[in-house]
Amino acid sequence: MAALTRTLAWIAFAYDSPAVTGDILRRIGIHLEEFAQREQAQRELEDLNEAGGQAS
């Protein structure tokens, strides 16, 4: 994880732009939200299957 954060810091520094840094963080946030939604949907499906229901 240290290598990733160091690389992101280098990118932000190299472009010397708060807008670029903000865009990187915004895109990371979008991806995190997508991953969280997929994980939640998977858990709900597993819970439904365990309860004996069927997904539509």
Side-chain angles (χ1 to χ4, degrees), residues 2 4 8-9 17 19-23 32 36-37 42 47-48 51 53:
L4 175 60
L8 288 173
S17 169
V20 171
T21 304
D23 190 45
L32 285 171
Q37 288 174 354
Q42 183 65 38
D47 290 347
L48 181 62

Side-chain angles (χ1 to χ4, degrees), residues 38-52:
R38 288 180 191 166
E39 184 176 318
Q40 179 64 31
Q42 183 65 38
R43 278 194 304 250
E44 290 174 3
L45 179 60
E46 289 169 359
D47 290 347
L48 181 62
N49 287 336
E50 287 176 8

